[in-house]
């Protein structure tokens, strides 16, 4: 068991709850369009499922705790790849499927991510979600 400070756990619970709540609405937009949102129609599914943002936040917090507040970037990248391999259906962006598979297969993360989007790195907001 990892000893995580209470404030960090509270933050993670809030992140996971908000992430799962928000993720339910993406399905409504895809299937029913914006009118369902405007009418405040609740999603019918009983299951709330958190996304890749929470999955990767959990890995980051584990890394911070185990590293005494210091992030080992190699171990973090491998942790992200392992979490992805355990559950590939958490809403990862299209390019992240390739990135995390390649890191999990042993390619150096620095080379893999440097090649994304013509060498520009990620154009997503995942880092902001985990901050």
């Amino acid at each position: 068991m990892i000893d995580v400070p209470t404030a960090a756990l509270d933050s993670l619970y809030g992140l996971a709850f908000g992430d799962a709540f928000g993720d339910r609405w993406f399905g409504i937009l895809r299937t029913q369009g914006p009118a369902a949102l405007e009418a405040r129609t609740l999603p019918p599914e009983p299951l709330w499922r958190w996304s890749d943002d929470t999955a990767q936040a959990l890995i980051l917090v584990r890394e911070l705790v185990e590293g005494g507040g210091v992030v080992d970037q190699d171990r973090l990248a491998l942790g992200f790849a392992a979490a992805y391999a355990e559950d590939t259906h958490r809403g990862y962006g299209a390019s992240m499927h390739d990135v995390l598979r390649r890191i999990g297969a042993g390619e150096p993360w620095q080379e893999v991510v440097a090649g994304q989007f013509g060498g520009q790195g990620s154009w997503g907001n995942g880092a902001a979600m985990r901050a």
Side-chain angles (χ1 to χ4, degrees):
M1 178 74 179
I2 297 173
D3 185 25
V4 179
T6 302
L9 282 177
D10 289 347
S11 178
L12 284 172
Y13 289 140
L15 167 75
F17 178 80
D19 186 20
F21 177 78
D23 197 61
R24 295 188 71 204
W25 298 100
F26 284 116
I28 285 182
L29 284 173
R30 282 191 298 272
T31 60
Q32 300 176 30
L37 289 179
E38 292 166 6
R40 295 191 175 354
T41 303
L42 295 175
E45 311 91 56
L47 180 65
W48 287 29
R49 192 165 154 80
W50 40 268
S51 77
D52 61 317
D53 295 322
T54 298
Q56 291 188 358
L58 291 169
I59 299 301
L60 176 58
V61 169
R62 181 183 305 148
E63 176 59 32
L64 285 166
V65 169
E66 291 178 354
V70 177
V71 173
D72 178 311
Q73 292 180 340
D74 295 328
R75 194 169 54 209
L76 181 66
L78 291 174
F80 285 162
Y84 169 80
E86 289 175 15
D87 189 350
T88 61
H89 301 289
R90 289 227 176 255
Y92 290 90
S95 67
M96 289 308 295
H97 289 282
D98 178 55
V99 165
L100 294 170
R101 280 188 198 119
R102 291 172 60 192
I103 292 170
E107 290 187 48
W109 66 265
Q110 298 91 334
E111 294 175 18
V112 174
V113 299
Q116 292 294 299
F117 302 103
Q120 296 297 310
S122 173
W123 284 2
N125 69 350
M129 294 297 296
R130 286 176 289 287

